Amino acid sequence: MTATPPDTSSSNTSPSNTAASSTADRGPLAPDVEGVLVVDKPLGVTSHDVVAKVRRIVGSKPGRRGKRKGPKVGHAGTLDPDASGVLVVCIGRATKLVPYLQASQKTYDARMRLGRTTDTLDNEGVETSRTDASHITEEMVCEALHAFVGDIEQIPPMVSAVKVDGERLYEKARRGEEVERKPRPVTIHDIVMADFDPGAQPSTSFLVTCTAGTYVRTLAADVGERLGVGAHLTGLRRLGSGRFSIEDATSLETLQAMAEDGTFGDAVMSMADAMADYPAVALDAEQAALVSNGRGIPATGHDGPVSILDPSGQLIAVMRDRGRLARPEVVFN
């Protein structure tokens, strides 16, 4: 449930639209804010709705020829409308960090129902089968869940945003099409079952920590298939994304209130702090000037991306070792 289509059917009555109409009329409430915002996305709104609300607050709006005026705003990892929790939103130059932030490990609180399958693998779809699963025990579910811990392969659901033949799968699904999808490798780091409610269609909740790109709805369906009764996801809340946890998150209502009273910037994390999951190298003023102009520096000795900080601790680049030199991937001038 990590890579899903944008909802194009949301109406002007969604919380993100109704709460901000007056903001759009007055202009931006926080026009000079830049950095990373951790939002506690509520149920019933899309990730795009959340981004749209933040855009109104910071004054980002469509301009001529498709270019936006004001700071860019984007999110690092989609959540479905029927999922809640941590949504990382990047503002201004921080949007360049999206590939690094969305690649982080995720933690979810998930709930599934056994003995029933749907065409979308969740509550929103049409029922495709129903089975008496009253013989399923807590121990059986626990064993089935643990069987998926480690490196596994998942087939992306038809409602995902994966492209096949140049088109998103969810676009094909809307036309009633189903196409062959190639399995994708993911890693389930840990699964802990939280509770079990027996019955003809038992339900269970579990905590799962996994790599980015894991489809929790597919995990639920695969567990049901392993048990021989089928299953679908009935609830999902993202508790963590990399270094960002639900404790760091701010609700949309609180963000609106902070924008109204001029404290919106207090909820925004600096780019350097947002990249704390990655190793960091601090440079002196002379080296920092070179990097700011796109020049390389001696190799850092780290694998993967490295945050490059100037003497004041500000993030000025993300670099990667290429042989004897570290080369910039992203530079913030």
Side-chain angles (χ1 to χ4, degrees):
M1 216 161 183
T2 56
T4 52
D7 184 357
T8 57
S9 64
S10 56
S11 70
N12 291 331
T13 59
S14 67
S16 63
N17 292 320
T18 56
S21 59
S22 60
T23 300
D25 295 339
R26 307 196 281 274
L29 295 175
D32 300 319
V33 171
E34 179 176 72
V36 175
L37 186 66
V38 187
V39 180
D40 185 354
K41 189 191 88 65
L43 297 171
V45 301
T46 68
S47 297
H48 179 74
D49 288 334
V50 175
V51 168
K53 181 177 183 68
V54 176
R55 281 176 176 162
R56 285 188 286 269
I57 290 174
V58 301
S60 174
K61 55 186 177 181
R64 294 181 179 178
R65 299 178 182 177
K67 294 184 177 180
R68 300 194 73 86
K69 295 181 178 179
K72 292 182 179 180
V73 181
H75 64 76
T78 302
L79 279 175
D80 288 343
D82 58 347
S84 66
V86 173
L87 183 68
V88 179
V89 177
C90 299
I91 304 170
R93 294 180 300 168
T95 52
K96 294 182 178 181
L97 300 178
V98 165
Y100 306 103
L101 301 183
Q102 69 183 7
S104 300
Q105 176 176 288
K106 316 296 182 187
T107 301
Y108 296 95
D109 180 3
R111 175 163 286 277
M112 67 178 175
R113 183 169 294 280
L114 300 165
R116 181 177 182 268
T117 63
T118 71
D119 59 356
T120 59
L121 312 185
D122 65 6
N123 255 348
E124 299 301 308
V126 175
E127 183 177 303
T128 54
S129 71
R130 184 179 288 262
T131 304
D132 185 352
S134 55
H135 64 284
I136 298 297
T137 65
E138 182 173 348
E139 291 74 16
M140 293 169 65
V141 176
C142 190
E143 181 180 350
L145 286 169
H146 287 166
F148 289 91
V149 175
D151 298 331
I152 64 171
E153 289 191 333
Q154 288 188 325
I155 296 176
M158 280 301 301
V159 290
S160 70
V162 173
K163 281 189 175 181
V164 173
D165 298 329
E167 187 179 30
R168 305 284 185 186
L169 283 175
Y170 65 79
E171 294 171 340
K172 296 178 182 293
R174 285 172 180 165
R175 296 195 299 269
E177 299 178 25
E178 182 160 353
V179 298
E180 184 177 354
R181 290 95 70 199
K182 293 182 179 179
R184 293 186 162 202
V186 299
T187 301
I188 307 296
H189 296 294
D190 190 35
I191 298 181
V192 178
M193 190 166 71
D195 63 52
F196 178 76
D197 184 16
Q201 274 79 48
S203 65
T204 183
S205 63
F206 56 94
L207 298 175
V208 56
T209 302
C210 53
T211 53
T214 300
Y215 296 95
V216 183
R217 67 172 76 197
T218 298
L219 175 62
D222 288 346
V223 169
E225 183 176 352
R226 184 179 181 87
L227 290 168
V229 296
H232 71 283
L233 196 69
T234 58
L236 189 69
R237 181 163 174 77
R238 186 188 285 161
L239 302 181
S241 177
R243 66 149 303 174
F244 310 107
S245 72
I246 197 66
E247 287 76 19
D248 303 319
T250 306
S251 70
L252 289 177
E253 292 77 13
T254 299
L255 288 173
Q256 180 65 35
M258 294 177 74
E260 296 283 352
D261 65 20
T263 61
F264 182 80
D266 294 344
V268 180
M269 185 181 298
S270 73
M271 292 191 293
D273 288 343
M275 287 289 287
D277 279 344
Y278 292 93
V281 173
L283 303 182
D284 59 29
E286 182 178 354
Q287 289 178 310
L290 292 174
V291 170
S292 293
N293 286 297
R295 300 284 295 276
I297 58 173
T300 65
H302 295 286
D303 292 330
V306 179
S307 294
I308 306 298
L309 310 179
D310 68 11
S312 69
Q314 297 296 309
L315 182 69
I316 59 171
V318 179
M319 305 183 79
R320 190 185 296 264
D321 286 358
R322 306 290 185 187
R324 299 174 62 183
L325 291 178
R327 302 286 187 180
E329 291 187 335
V330 175
V331 176
F332 301 99
N333 293 321

Short mmCIF file of all heavy atoms in Angstrom, two decimals, residues 110-154:
data_model
loop_
_atom_site.label_atom_id
_atom_site.label_comp_id
_atom_site.label_asym_id
_atom_site.label_seq_id
_atom_site.Cartn_x
_atom_site.Cartn_y
_atom_site.Cartn_z
N ALA A 110 -1.06 -2.49 10.71
CA ALA A 110 -1.99 -2.98 9.70
C ALA A 110 -3.03 -3.91 10.31
O ALA A 110 -2.78 -4.56 11.33
CB ALA A 110 -1.23 -3.72 8.60
N ARG A 111 -4.20 -3.97 9.67
CA ARG A 111 -5.24 -4.91 10.08
C ARG A 111 -5.77 -5.61 8.84
O ARG A 111 -5.96 -4.97 7.80
CB ARG A 111 -6.37 -4.19 10.82
CG ARG A 111 -7.55 -5.12 11.17
CD ARG A 111 -8.46 -4.52 12.22
NE ARG A 111 -7.85 -4.55 13.54
CZ ARG A 111 -7.86 -5.60 14.36
NH1 ARG A 111 -8.45 -6.71 14.00
NH2 ARG A 111 -7.28 -5.53 15.53
N MET A 112 -5.98 -6.91 8.96
CA MET A 112 -6.52 -7.67 7.83
C MET A 112 -7.63 -8.59 8.30
O MET A 112 -7.71 -8.94 9.48
CB MET A 112 -5.42 -8.49 7.14
CG MET A 112 -4.84 -9.61 7.98
SD MET A 112 -3.59 -10.54 7.04
CE MET A 112 -3.01 -11.67 8.33
N ARG A 113 -8.50 -8.95 7.34
CA ARG A 113 -9.57 -9.90 7.61
C ARG A 113 -9.35 -11.14 6.76
O ARG A 113 -9.13 -11.05 5.55
CB ARG A 113 -10.94 -9.28 7.31
CG ARG A 113 -12.11 -10.21 7.64
CD ARG A 113 -13.43 -9.47 7.59
NE ARG A 113 -13.52 -8.45 8.63
CZ ARG A 113 -13.82 -8.68 9.90
NH1 ARG A 113 -14.06 -9.92 10.31
NH2 ARG A 113 -13.87 -7.69 10.76
N LEU A 114 -9.42 -12.29 7.42
CA LEU A 114 -9.23 -13.56 6.73
C LEU A 114 -10.57 -14.12 6.25
O LEU A 114 -11.63 -13.77 6.79
CB LEU A 114 -8.56 -14.56 7.67
CG LEU A 114 -7.18 -14.16 8.19
CD1 LEU A 114 -6.79 -15.04 9.38
CD2 LEU A 114 -6.14 -14.26 7.10
N GLY A 115 -10.52 -14.96 5.22
CA GLY A 115 -11.73 -15.60 4.72
C GLY A 115 -12.50 -14.77 3.72
O GLY A 115 -13.60 -15.14 3.31
N ARG A 116 -11.92 -13.64 3.27
CA ARG A 116 -12.60 -12.80 2.29
C ARG A 116 -11.54 -12.12 1.43
O ARG A 116 -10.56 -11.61 1.95
CB ARG A 116 -13.47 -11.74 2.98
CG ARG A 116 -14.23 -10.83 2.03
CD ARG A 116 -15.13 -9.86 2.80
NE ARG A 116 -15.90 -9.00 1.92
CZ ARG A 116 -15.49 -7.80 1.50
NH1 ARG A 116 -14.31 -7.32 1.90
NH2 ARG A 116 -16.26 -7.08 0.70
N THR A 117 -11.73 -12.13 0.11
CA THR A 117 -10.82 -11.46 -0.80
C THR A 117 -11.58 -10.43 -1.63
O THR A 117 -12.79 -10.53 -1.82
CB THR A 117 -10.12 -12.45 -1.74
OG1 THR A 117 -11.10 -13.07 -2.57
CG2 THR A 117 -9.37 -13.52 -0.96
N THR A 118 -10.85 -9.41 -2.09
CA THR A 118 -11.45 -8.38 -2.95
C THR A 118 -10.53 -8.13 -4.14
O THR A 118 -9.35 -8.49 -4.12
CB THR A 118 -11.66 -7.05 -2.19
OG1 THR A 118 -10.38 -6.44 -1.95
CG2 THR A 118 -12.36 -7.27 -0.87
N ASP A 119 -11.06 -7.48 -5.15
CA ASP A 119 -10.27 -7.25 -6.37
C ASP A 119 -9.21 -6.17 -6.19
O ASP A 119 -8.30 -6.03 -7.02
CB ASP A 119 -11.18 -6.92 -7.56
CG ASP A 119 -12.04 -5.68 -7.33
OD1 ASP A 119 -12.00 -5.10 -6.21
OD2 ASP A 119 -12.76 -5.29 -8.26
N THR A 120 -9.29 -5.40 -5.09
CA THR A 120 -8.26 -4.39 -4.81
C THR A 120 -7.37 -4.79 -3.63
O THR A 120 -6.48 -4.03 -3.24
CB THR A 120 -8.90 -3.02 -4.52
OG1 THR A 120 -9.79 -3.16 -3.39
CG2 THR A 120 -9.67 -2.50 -5.71
N LEU A 121 -7.65 -5.94 -3.04
CA LEU A 121 -6.90 -6.46 -1.89
C LEU A 121 -7.15 -5.67 -0.62
O LEU A 121 -6.44 -5.86 0.37
CB LEU A 121 -5.39 -6.53 -2.17
CG LEU A 121 -4.95 -7.17 -3.50
CD1 LEU A 121 -3.42 -7.26 -3.56
CD2 LEU A 121 -5.58 -8.52 -3.70
N ASP A 122 -8.14 -4.76 -0.64
CA ASP A 122 -8.47 -3.99 0.56
C ASP A 122 -9.98 -3.84 0.67
O ASP A 122 -10.74 -4.44 -0.11
CB ASP A 122 -7.75 -2.64 0.58
CG ASP A 122 -8.22 -1.71 -0.55
OD1 ASP A 122 -9.17 -2.06 -1.28
OD2 ASP A 122 -7.61 -0.63 -0.71
N ASN A 123 -10.43 -3.02 1.61
CA ASN A 123 -11.85 -2.83 1.89
C ASN A 123 -12.62 -2.16 0.75
O ASN A 123 -13.85 -2.26 0.68
CB ASN A 123 -12.02 -1.99 3.16
CG ASN A 123 -12.43 -2.83 4.34
OD1 ASN A 123 -12.80 -3.98 4.20
ND2 ASN A 123 -12.38 -2.25 5.53
N GLU A 124 -11.91 -1.43 -0.11
CA GLU A 124 -12.58 -0.61 -1.11
C GLU A 124 -13.03 -1.41 -2.32
O GLU A 124 -13.84 -0.93 -3.11
CB GLU A 124 -11.63 0.52 -1.57
CG GLU A 124 -11.21 1.47 -0.46
CD GLU A 124 -12.39 2.15 0.19
OE1 GLU A 124 -13.22 2.72 -0.56
OE2 GLU A 124 -12.50 2.11 1.42
N GLY A 125 -12.50 -2.62 -2.47
CA GLY A 125 -12.79 -3.37 -3.68
C GLY A 125 -14.05 -4.21 -3.62
O GLY A 125 -14.74 -4.30 -2.59
N VAL A 126 -14.34 -4.86 -4.73
CA VAL A 126 -15.48 -5.76 -4.86
C VAL A 126 -15.07 -7.14 -4.34
O VAL A 126 -13.99 -7.63 -4.65
CB VAL A 126 -15.93 -5.85 -6.32
CG1 VAL A 126 -17.06 -6.88 -6.48
CG2 VAL A 126 -16.37 -4.49 -6.84
N GLU A 127 -15.95 -7.75 -3.55
CA GLU A 127 -15.65 -9.07 -3.01
C GLU A 127 -15.51 -10.08 -4.14
O GLU A 127 -16.34 -10.15 -5.05
CB GLU A 127 -16.75 -9.50 -2.05
CG GLU A 127 -16.49 -10.85 -1.39
CD GLU A 127 -17.56 -11.22 -0.38
OE1 GLU A 127 -17.79 -10.43 0.57
OE2 GLU A 127 -18.18 -12.29 -0.56
N THR A 128 -14.42 -10.87 -4.08
CA THR A 128 -14.18 -11.89 -5.10
C THR A 128 -14.30 -13.31 -4.55
O THR A 128 -14.45 -14.25 -5.32
CB THR A 128 -12.78 -11.71 -5.72
OG1 THR A 128 -11.79 -11.69 -4.69
CG2 THR A 128 -12.70 -10.40 -6.50
N SER A 129 -14.22 -13.47 -3.23
CA SER A 129 -14.42 -14.79 -2.65
C SER A 129 -14.71 -14.65 -1.17
O SER A 129 -14.31 -13.66 -0.54
CB SER A 129 -13.19 -15.70 -2.85
OG SER A 129 -12.10 -15.29 -2.04
N ARG A 130 -15.41 -15.64 -0.63
CA ARG A 130 -15.69 -15.68 0.81
C ARG A 130 -15.58 -17.13 1.27
O ARG A 130 -16.15 -18.03 0.65
CB ARG A 130 -17.06 -15.10 1.13
CG ARG A 130 -17.39 -15.02 2.62
CD ARG A 130 -18.77 -14.42 2.84
NE ARG A 130 -18.77 -13.00 2.57
CZ ARG A 130 -18.67 -12.05 3.50
NH1 ARG A 130 -18.55 -12.40 4.79
NH2 ARG A 130 -18.70 -10.79 3.18
N THR A 131 -14.83 -17.35 2.35
CA THR A 131 -14.55 -18.70 2.85
C THR A 131 -14.74 -18.75 4.35
O THR A 131 -14.41 -17.77 5.05
CB THR A 131 -13.10 -19.10 2.52
OG1 THR A 131 -12.88 -18.98 1.12
CG2 THR A 131 -12.79 -20.51 2.98
N ASP A 132 -15.28 -19.82 4.86
CA ASP A 132 -15.37 -20.01 6.31
C ASP A 132 -13.96 -20.27 6.84
O ASP A 132 -13.35 -21.29 6.54
CB ASP A 132 -16.28 -21.19 6.63
CG ASP A 132 -16.50 -21.37 8.14
OD1 ASP A 132 -15.83 -20.67 8.92
OD2 ASP A 132 -17.33 -22.21 8.51
N ALA A 133 -13.46 -19.34 7.62
CA ALA A 133 -12.10 -19.45 8.16
C ALA A 133 -12.12 -19.63 9.67
O ALA A 133 -11.17 -19.28 10.36
CB ALA A 133 -11.29 -18.21 7.78
N SER A 134 -13.21 -20.19 10.19
CA SER A 134 -13.34 -20.33 11.65
C SER A 134 -12.32 -21.30 12.24
O SER A 134 -12.09 -21.29 13.45
CB SER A 134 -14.77 -20.78 12.01
OG SER A 134 -15.11 -21.97 11.32
N HIS A 135 -11.71 -22.13 11.41
CA HIS A 135 -10.72 -23.07 11.91
C HIS A 135 -9.34 -22.43 12.09
O HIS A 135 -8.44 -23.03 12.66
CB HIS A 135 -10.59 -24.25 10.95
CG HIS A 135 -10.08 -23.87 9.59
ND1 HIS A 135 -10.88 -23.23 8.66
CD2 HIS A 135 -8.86 -24.02 9.02
CE1 HIS A 135 -10.17 -23.01 7.56
NE2 HIS A 135 -8.94 -23.48 7.75
N ILE A 136 -9.17 -21.20 11.61
CA ILE A 136 -7.87 -20.52 11.69
C ILE A 136 -7.64 -20.06 13.13
O ILE A 136 -8.50 -19.41 13.74
CB ILE A 136 -7.81 -19.32 10.74
CG1 ILE A 136 -7.97 -19.79 9.28
CG2 ILE A 136 -6.49 -18.58 10.90
CD1 ILE A 136 -6.88 -20.69 8.78
N THR A 137 -6.47 -20.39 13.67
CA THR A 137 -6.13 -20.02 15.04
C THR A 137 -5.09 -18.91 15.05
O THR A 137 -4.44 -18.61 14.04
CB THR A 137 -5.56 -21.22 15.80
OG1 THR A 137 -4.31 -21.61 15.20
CG2 THR A 137 -6.53 -22.39 15.78
N GLU A 138 -4.92 -18.32 16.22
CA GLU A 138 -3.92 -17.28 16.39
C GLU A 138 -2.52 -17.81 16.06
O GLU A 138 -1.72 -17.11 15.42
CB GLU A 138 -3.96 -16.75 17.84
CG GLU A 138 -2.98 -15.62 18.12
CD GLU A 138 -3.17 -15.03 19.50
OE1 GLU A 138 -4.20 -15.35 20.14
OE2 GLU A 138 -2.30 -14.27 19.94
N GLU A 139 -2.23 -19.01 16.47
CA GLU A 139 -0.91 -19.60 16.22
C GLU A 139 -0.68 -19.78 14.72
O GLU A 139 0.44 -19.56 14.22
CB GLU A 139 -0.79 -20.95 16.93
CG GLU A 139 -0.72 -20.87 18.45
CD GLU A 139 -2.08 -20.56 19.09
OE1 GLU A 139 -3.12 -20.71 18.39
OE2 GLU A 139 -2.09 -20.16 20.27
N MET A 140 -1.72 -20.17 14.00
CA MET A 140 -1.58 -20.36 12.56
C MET A 140 -1.28 -19.04 11.85
O MET A 140 -0.43 -18.97 10.96
CB MET A 140 -2.86 -20.99 11.99
CG MET A 140 -3.11 -22.42 12.47
SD MET A 140 -4.78 -23.03 12.04
CE MET A 140 -4.68 -23.06 10.24
N VAL A 141 -1.95 -17.98 12.28
CA VAL A 141 -1.72 -16.67 11.67
C VAL A 141 -0.31 -16.17 12.00
O VAL A 141 0.40 -15.64 11.13
CB VAL A 141 -2.77 -15.65 12.15
CG1 VAL A 141 -2.46 -14.26 11.60
CG2 VAL A 141 -4.16 -16.09 11.73
N CYS A 142 0.09 -16.34 13.24
CA CYS A 142 1.42 -15.90 13.66
C CYS A 142 2.50 -16.60 12.84
O CYS A 142 3.45 -15.97 12.36
CB CYS A 142 1.60 -16.18 15.14
SG CYS A 142 3.10 -15.45 15.85
N GLU A 143 2.34 -17.90 12.64
CA GLU A 143 3.31 -18.67 11.86
C GLU A 143 3.33 -18.20 10.41
O GLU A 143 4.39 -18.07 9.79
CB GLU A 143 2.97 -20.15 11.93
CG GLU A 143 3.94 -21.04 11.16
CD GLU A 143 3.58 -22.51 11.25
OE1 GLU A 143 2.70 -22.87 12.07
OE2 GLU A 143 4.18 -23.31 10.50
N ALA A 144 2.15 -17.91 9.86
CA ALA A 144 2.06 -17.46 8.47
C ALA A 144 2.72 -16.10 8.29
O ALA A 144 3.43 -15.85 7.31
CB ALA A 144 0.61 -17.42 8.02
N LEU A 145 2.48 -15.20 9.23
CA LEU A 145 3.10 -13.88 9.16
C LEU A 145 4.62 -13.98 9.19
O LEU A 145 5.33 -13.35 8.39
CB LEU A 145 2.62 -13.00 10.32
CG LEU A 145 1.19 -12.47 10.23
CD1 LEU A 145 0.77 -11.86 11.57
CD2 LEU A 145 1.07 -11.42 9.12
N HIS A 146 5.14 -14.76 10.11
CA HIS A 146 6.59 -14.87 10.27
C HIS A 146 7.25 -15.51 9.05
O HIS A 146 8.45 -15.30 8.81
CB HIS A 146 6.91 -15.68 11.52
CG HIS A 146 6.65 -14.91 12.78
ND1 HIS A 146 6.60 -15.52 14.02
CD2 HIS A 146 6.42 -13.60 13.00
CE1 HIS A 146 6.33 -14.60 14.94
NE2 HIS A 146 6.22 -13.43 14.34
N ALA A 147 6.48 -16.26 8.27
CA ALA A 147 7.03 -16.89 7.07
C ALA A 147 7.46 -15.86 6.02
O ALA A 147 8.26 -16.18 5.13
CB ALA A 147 6.01 -17.86 6.47
N PHE A 148 6.95 -14.64 6.15
CA PHE A 148 7.28 -13.61 5.17
C PHE A 148 8.40 -12.68 5.62
O PHE A 148 8.77 -11.75 4.89
CB PHE A 148 6.02 -12.80 4.84
CG PHE A 148 5.02 -13.57 4.04
CD1 PHE A 148 4.02 -14.31 4.66
CD2 PHE A 148 5.08 -13.59 2.66
CE1 PHE A 148 3.10 -15.04 3.94
CE2 PHE A 148 4.17 -14.33 1.92
CZ PHE A 148 3.18 -15.06 2.56
N VAL A 149 8.95 -12.89 6.80
CA VAL A 149 10.07 -12.07 7.27
C VAL A 149 11.32 -12.43 6.47
O VAL A 149 11.63 -13.60 6.25
CB VAL A 149 10.31 -12.28 8.77
CG1 VAL A 149 11.56 -11.53 9.22
CG2 VAL A 149 9.11 -11.82 9.58
N GLY A 150 12.02 -11.40 6.00
CA GLY A 150 13.22 -11.60 5.20
C GLY A 150 13.06 -11.03 3.81
O GLY A 150 12.18 -10.21 3.54
N ASP A 151 13.92 -11.45 2.90
CA ASP A 151 13.86 -11.00 1.51
C ASP A 151 12.81 -11.83 0.77
O ASP A 151 12.92 -13.06 0.69
CB ASP A 151 15.23 -11.17 0.85
CG ASP A 151 16.31 -10.33 1.50
OD1 ASP A 151 15.97 -9.25 2.05
OD2 ASP A 151 17.49 -10.74 1.47
N ILE A 152 11.82 -11.15 0.23
CA ILE A 152 10.75 -11.84 -0.50
C ILE A 152 10.48 -11.11 -1.81
O ILE A 152 11.07 -10.06 -2.09
CB ILE A 152 9.44 -11.88 0.33
CG1 ILE A 152 8.91 -10.46 0.59
CG2 ILE A 152 9.66 -12.61 1.65
CD1 ILE A 152 7.53 -10.43 1.22
N GLU A 153 9.60 -11.68 -2.62
CA GLU A 153 9.16 -11.03 -3.84
C GLU A 153 7.65 -10.82 -3.77
O GLU A 153 6.93 -11.67 -3.27
CB GLU A 153 9.52 -11.85 -5.07
CG GLU A 153 11.01 -11.86 -5.39
CD GLU A 153 11.30 -12.46 -6.75
OE1 GLU A 153 10.50 -13.31 -7.21
OE2 GLU A 153 12.33 -12.08 -7.34
N GLN A 154 7.21 -9.65 -4.25
CA GLN A 154 5.79 -9.34 -4.29
C GLN A 154 5.37 -8.99 -5.72
O GLN A 154 6.14 -8.35 -6.46
CB GLN A 154 5.47 -8.13 -3.39
CG GLN A 154 5.54 -8.40 -1.91
CD GLN A 154 5.02 -7.21 -1.12
OE1 GLN A 154 5.20 -6.05 -1.50
NE2 GLN A 154 4.35 -7.50 -0.02
#
